[in-house]
Amino acid sequence: MENQLPEYLRMPVNAAPNEKNVVRCGDVRITVITPRLIRIEQGAFTDDATTVVLCRDLGLCEAQVTRADDVVRINTGALEIAYRAGAPLA
C-alpha cells in the first residue's frame, strides 16, 4: 500500500536495535530496549517499526548477561529473565 501521508507529516524511523543491547541464544534474539522493556524474537527477526515502538535504539542499556550451560540470564536491575537454548517461547 502506498503511503498516503504528505511528506511533512511523515516521521523518519530507525527501528533497528543497538547491537550492544542484543543477546543471541540459538535462534532467539533478546533485545534490552530499556531496563523494563525487553523484546524477545524467535526464528525470523524483523526490525520494522511498530505502533508502540518506533525506535529500539535508545542508547546503551546496562544489563548483566551470564551464560551457564545452555541458559542465558539477563539482569537489568529492574528485571531478570532466563532463557534455555532451544526452549519454545510461549
Side-chain angles (χ1 to χ4, degrees), residues 4-77:
Q4 302 293 322
L5 283 175
E7 185 66 36
Y8 70 91
L9 291 177
R10 296 181 197 168
M11 183 171 60
V13 296
N14 178 9
N18 182 329
E19 281 300 314
K20 293 179 180 177
N21 295 338
V22 174
V23 177
R24 289 181 171 77
C25 185
D27 68 338
V28 170
R29 179 173 80 168
I30 303 168
T31 306
V32 180
I33 300 171
T34 73
R36 291 181 169 83
L37 179 62
I38 296 201
R39 182 178 194 208
I40 304 172
E41 302 169 276
Q42 189 170 34
F45 308 137
T46 180
D47 289 330
D48 295 336
T50 64
T51 303
V52 175
V53 180
L54 300 176
C55 175
R56 291 184 188 92
D57 184 359
L58 301 177
L60 183 61
C61 188
E62 295 295 326
Q64 180 182 11
V65 178
T66 57
R67 296 175 188 263
D69 298 321
D70 59 348
V71 175
V72 62
R73 291 185 184 280
I74 302 171
N75 187 325
T76 68

